[in-house]
Amino acid sequence: MICIIKTVKRHRRLFFGRWVVRVSKQKAGEHRDAILAAASRLFRARGFDKVGVAEVTQAAGLTHGGFYGHFASKEALAAEVCDLSFGNAVRRVQASASLGDYIDYYVSAEHRDREGPCPMVALGTDVSRLSGPVRAHFSEGVARYVAAIRAHMPGDDPMAEGKASALVSILVGGLSLARAVAATDPALSENILAGVREQARAVVRSVGRAGP
């Protein structure tokens, strides 16, 4: 019995006056990933402001008290969620065979109705109210996303950078508006999606042209 007690104590540490069980680095990493995944899902579905730390940890299957062993604050978590969400979005662009294929995916009823759409649509309105570091991570994500769109365009088009930014603006703005009216006016939402697809494809067709 004495040996067992000593073994257990070696795997515990005193934390705010209470003994807590230590976890392995692998398990700690799994807990951190679970928090990030849960936060990404909840933040993109409902926004930063409407989701608390307790809800995130509960969704991750963890206790509230364990959160601060992985993240210094909710805003530190939000910054990493931006990185994770934009990383997934950029990989989706890179995996597309063409910009036409990506436009078909992005400007679709399925994407519009998804609980957690792309981070620019899901998180864009909240970012301006958060701290500088979160805004910086969001801005870096937008730049990476535009660069991924630009990579699908010919390298010899001097206007490609501007066209990539314009295309992203059309996609994000159009999807945001289509989502906003979908519940009350489905027909209008569908018309917005159709118009966005047309305008987005027009930008793609213009790539490589010397002028308008």
Side-chain angles (χ1 to χ4, degrees), residues 42-114:
L42 292 169
F43 287 164
R44 286 184 296 117
R46 290 162 45 201
F48 292 121
D49 294 344
K50 295 180 180 178
V51 179
V53 167
E55 186 175 0
V56 170
T57 52
Q58 182 179 14
L62 303 169
T63 61
H64 185 186
F67 173 86
Y68 294 99
H70 301 286
F71 301 95
S73 65
K74 179 183 171 183
E75 291 204 345
L77 172 63
E80 292 206 33
V81 164
C82 284
D83 292 341
L84 174 65
S85 300
F86 274 105
N88 292 335
V90 166
R91 283 189 288 274
R92 183 69 185 246
V93 176
Q94 294 170 335
S96 298
S98 67
L99 283 179
D101 287 347
Y102 185 73
I103 289 169
D104 288 341
Y105 150 74
Y106 192 97
V107 192
S108 64
E110 178 187 1
H111 190 206
R112 177 198 63 196
D113 298 338
R114 186 173 300 167

Side-chain angles (χ1 to χ4, degrees), residues 86-87 89-96 99 102 141-153 161 164 168:
F86 274 105
V90 166
R91 283 189 288 274
R92 183 69 185 246
V93 176
Q94 294 170 335
S96 298
L99 283 179
Y102 185 73
V142 172
R144 285 191 290 142
Y145 185 88
V146 172
I149 293 289
R150 169 67 180 85
H152 276 282
M153 298 178 175
E161 189 72 32
V168 170

Side-chain angles (χ1 to χ4, degrees), residues 111 137 140:
H111 190 206
H137 281 256
E140 290 166 6

Side-chain angles (χ1 to χ4, degrees), residues 11 15 33 48 55 63 67 82 132 146 182-183 192 196-197 199:
H11 293 278
F15 185 72
D33 290 344
F48 292 121
E55 186 175 0
T63 61
F67 173 86
C82 284
V146 172
I192 291 170
V196 169
R197 278 191 293 269
Q199 292 303 310

